Amino acid sequence: IRVWAEQDESWVRLGVTDTGRGIPPEFLPAIWNRFARAPEAREDGTAGSGLGLAIVKALTEAMGGAVGAESEPGNGATVWVRLRADEAFTAVPPHE
C-alpha cells in the first residue's frame, strides 16, 4: 500500500494505492455507496461493512472537495480525495 499526496496552487489530492486484485469495472461506480461490497469480498468472507468510502465521500464533499477512484483488475486500485489547499490546511506541519 502506498499513501501519497500532491499539491498544486489551490488543491491538495490525498490518495491510497494498492497492488491487490483491483475493483471490477462494473462495481467501481458503486464503491461510494453505503454498504457497498464487491461480490468477491462477500464470497471470501473479507471483513467490513461497506461504510468507509461512503463516509469519506460525505465528509470530503461537505468540505467542498471531490473523490475519485481508478482500478485495473489484477493490478490494484487507487482511491483519492481532493481538498482545497487553504492556509489552514497547508499550515499543518508534515508528519514523518
Side-chain angles (χ1 to χ4, degrees), residues 46-67:
T46 302
S49 63
L51 287 173
L53 291 177
I55 293 169
V56 166
K57 181 180 181 192
L59 291 172
T60 300
E61 290 178 350
M63 292 184 281
V67 297

Side-chain angles (χ1 to χ4, degrees), residues 40-91:
E40 295 83 6
R42 288 191 298 269
E43 290 168 6
D44 70 12
T46 302
S49 63
L51 287 173
L53 291 177
I55 293 169
V56 166
K57 181 180 181 192
L59 291 172
T60 300
E61 290 178 350
M63 292 184 281
V67 297
E70 297 92 30
S71 181
E72 184 177 328
N75 290 317
T78 296
V79 177
W80 54 265
V81 299
R82 186 181 72 170
L83 300 167
R84 284 222 168 268
D86 62 15
E87 290 181 34
F89 188 77
T90 57

Side-chain angles (χ1 to χ4, degrees), residues 5-14 82-86 89-90:
E6 58 188 30
Q7 183 175 354
D8 64 24
E9 292 181 17
S10 57
W11 295 94
V12 64
R13 198 165 73 126
L14 309 166
R82 186 181 72 170
L83 300 167
R84 284 222 168 268
D86 62 15
F89 188 77
T90 57

Side-chain angles (χ1 to χ4, degrees), residues 8 16-18 20 26-27 33 44 62 66 71 77 79 82 84-85 90 94-96:
D8 64 24
V16 176
T17 301
D18 72 20
E26 65 276 7
F27 188 71
N33 299 339
D44 70 12
S71 181
V79 177
R82 186 181 72 170
R84 284 222 168 268
T90 57
H95 178 51
E96 296 185 29

